[in-house]
Amino acid sequence: MSLIVQKYGGTSVGTSERIKNIAARILETQRHGNSVVAVVSAMSGVTDSLIKQARDITLKPTDREMDVLLATGEQTTTALTAMAINAMGGNAVSLTGGQAGILTNNIHTKAKIHDITPTAIHRHLQNGVIVIVAGFQGHSTTGHITTLGRGGSDLTAIALAATLKADHCEIYTDVDGIFTCDPRIVPTAKKIEAISYDELLEMASSGSKVMQSRSVEFAKKFQVPFEVRNSFNNNRGTIVKEETAKMENVAVRGVSLEKNQAKVTITRVPDRPGSASRLFGALADTNVVVDVIIQNTSESGATDISFTINKEDLEKVGPTLESVATAIGAGKITKHDGIAKLSVVGIGMRTHSGVAAKLFEALSQGGINIQMISTSEIKIAVIIDAAHAEEATRLVHEVFYPEREIS
Ligand code: ADP
Ligand code: ASP
Ligand code: MG
């Protein structure tokens, strides 16, 4: 008998009909002779609407109360799913993250999993019961309800699959798998048959929000292969696993777009040891993640430094930047929030040359100006104007995945 961990995202459980649909799928999986643990998300829109409800009450709710509130979204779905399975003649039980034994640290709203003690899950599985676990949540070591960051149900599923040593882990969503680009931006994007953890990790952390990036990191660390599939059909999905030699044959596996970026430029930063350290040290203290950094060539002992951050963090870093710039004797600060990051990702870039040239050529053909460039071993990213970002994504995708080759 195999043990299968499945995860159903918000759209897949978005209505009562859809909950009945996934209940039937879960039951079918058990009837094929498997033990099943199913992790469910909140119904689509519920987490956002709970956040909005909290904001209607106060702009500064405590993180602890936010976690108590947000965890209810997933709990609702677990109970409804278990009820649906039981109504179809099956035997299912719902568990909160805490009841499932998911222990986390105490960092509310973005808790990390410490440990999982799946005693209750094992007991139910041994009795032939299907276990429905609330995604995105756990219990802190001090006994409080915690949540694992947006998209965290993916992490719940991968972590349970690792702990339970599941034979298969299936992530059900509203598209057929991982595509060469978000199909909502590029309708001609192709489904990828197999992708490495590293490639998906780069794609997920540069805007392809099909999987939570922390969950992919976890899958890589604990070597949990998984399949991303569509809950609305029976098509095979995308296998995510350790890289194979064959995967290097393709230079670019996917194209990602991250909107909501902002660029900050500080002019006339004194060109001497310590300036960058003080600047980015102060930013690190605000817990804001800095992405691409560019320092221009120095002219008469001063240089301009530009960097990108998330648009939402722009206000947060304002006062810190003003005081550091004054302290180090820099010039003015300019902020620009209409930018986006376009990335091409693929482990084949280690061995294929000319990817950057092809990318830049596509952008130039479209008259799109590149403001910044950053590279890693398996990624090239460019910062461009947000107004043309989707058009640029389609142009770049077309160069690496020409439409005429698809049919
Ligand atoms: P779920 O609610 O099932 O967790 P998400 O909305 O988090 O689903 O993720 C699925 C969505 O991710 C898709 O509807 C798609 O628009 C988006 N997406 C972004 N990039 C990609 C990609 N490269 N491949 C597939 N889907 C992508
Ligand atoms: N419901 C949570 C969210 O919307 C977690 C998830 O769906 O994975 O972020
Ligand atoms: Mg998701």
Side-chain angles (χ1 to χ4, degrees), residues 126-143:
Q126 269 157 18
N127 293 331
V129 177
I130 294 170
V131 184
I132 312 295
V133 179
F136 171 60
Q137 56 175 268
H139 225 178
S140 74
T141 43
T142 46

Side-chain angles (χ1 to χ4, degrees), residues 223-271:
Q223 294 289 303
V224 183
F226 59 95
E227 182 176 359
V228 179
R229 302 182 56 172
N230 197 329
S231 71
F232 298 97
N233 62 40
N234 284 318
N235 299 344
R236 289 323 303 183
T238 301
I239 304 291
V240 185
K241 59 180 183 181
E242 196 48 81
E243 68 181 71
T244 59
K246 199 173 142 217
M247 286 181 182
E248 287 216 351
N249 293 344
V250 175
V252 170
R253 182 84 53 211
V255 179
S256 299
L257 177 64
E258 175 101 69
K259 294 180 190 163
N260 290 329
Q261 299 282 288
K263 182 170 83 170
V264 177
T265 301
I266 304 173
T267 59
R268 302 205 50 77
V269 177
D271 193 13

Side-chain angles (χ1 to χ4, degrees), residues 3 85 196 229 246 312 332 351:
L3 170 61
I85 293 171
S196 68
R229 302 182 56 172
K246 199 173 142 217
E312 292 79 48
K332 68 175 192 324
T351 47

Side-chain angles (χ1 to χ4, degrees), residues 7-13 41-44 150-154 171-185 189-192 195 200 203-204 207-212 228-229 231-232 238 253-257:
K7 179 252 166 176
Y8 293 95
T11 319
S12 305
V13 294
S41 286
M43 295 167 83
S44 60
R150 297 304 304 265
S153 299
D154 293 331
I171 307 290
Y172 284 94
T173 183
D174 55 2
V175 285
D176 275 7
I178 315 283
F179 282 67
T180 49
C181 190
D182 186 344
R184 287 178 216 280
I185 302 175
K190 284 172 80 176
K191 188 181 84 186
I192 300 167
I195 185 169
L200 183 55
M203 283 175 71
S208 297
K209 300 260 157 51
V210 57
M211 287 288 294
Q212 189 210 34
V228 179
R229 302 182 56 172
S231 71
F232 298 97
T238 301
R253 182 84 53 211
V255 179
S256 299
L257 177 64

Side-chain angles (χ1 to χ4, degrees), residues 27-72:
L27 210 43
E28 182 70 10
T29 310
Q30 189 195 43
R31 286 182 180 149
H32 275 95
N34 304 298
S35 295
V36 191
V37 174
V39 173
V40 290
S41 286
M43 295 167 83
S44 60
V46 165
T47 308
D48 286 338
S49 103
L50 289 170
I51 293 172
K52 189 174 170 302
Q53 269 180 280
R55 294 233 166 98
D56 289 344
I57 301 282
T58 166
L59 290 178
K60 288 197 173 150
T62 63
D63 286 345
R64 181 193 182 280
E65 298 312 330
M66 278 312 284
D67 276 354
V68 173
L69 179 69
L70 297 191
T72 63

Side-chain angles (χ1 to χ4, degrees), residues 251-372:
V252 170
R253 182 84 53 211
V255 179
S256 299
L257 177 64
E258 175 101 69
K259 294 180 190 163
N260 290 329
Q261 299 282 288
K263 182 170 83 170
V264 177
T265 301
I266 304 173
T267 59
R268 302 205 50 77
V269 177
D271 193 13
R272 59 171 176 258
S275 292
S277 157
R278 285 185 65 183
L279 180 59
F280 291 105
L283 284 170
D285 290 342
T286 64
N287 282 325
V288 165
V289 177
V290 175
D291 191 5
V292 183
I293 302 174
I294 283 191
Q295 175 170 326
N296 287 342
T297 46
S298 167
E299 261 179 52
S300 51
T303 175
D304 293 352
I305 295 183
S306 299
F307 57 88
T308 62
I309 55 177
N310 260 329
K311 197 164 146 181
E312 292 79 48
D313 289 330
L314 209 48
E315 264 182 43
K316 196 167 156 189
V317 297
T320 306
L321 286 174
E322 297 289 345
S323 66
V324 187
T326 310
I328 62 178
K332 68 175 192 324
I333 300 168
T334 56
K335 298 177 197 149
H336 182 46
D337 65 5
I339 59 158
K341 185 170 76 167
L342 171 64
S343 309
V344 293
V345 172
I347 55 170
M349 277 187 216
R350 295 186 197 129
T351 47
H352 291 68
S353 58
V355 174
K358 238 172 145 176
L359 166 66
F360 301 157
E361 166 69 12
L363 293 170
S364 125
Q365 292 287 330
I368 289 153
N369 189 40
I370 301 170
Q371 302 181 23
M372 295 163 110

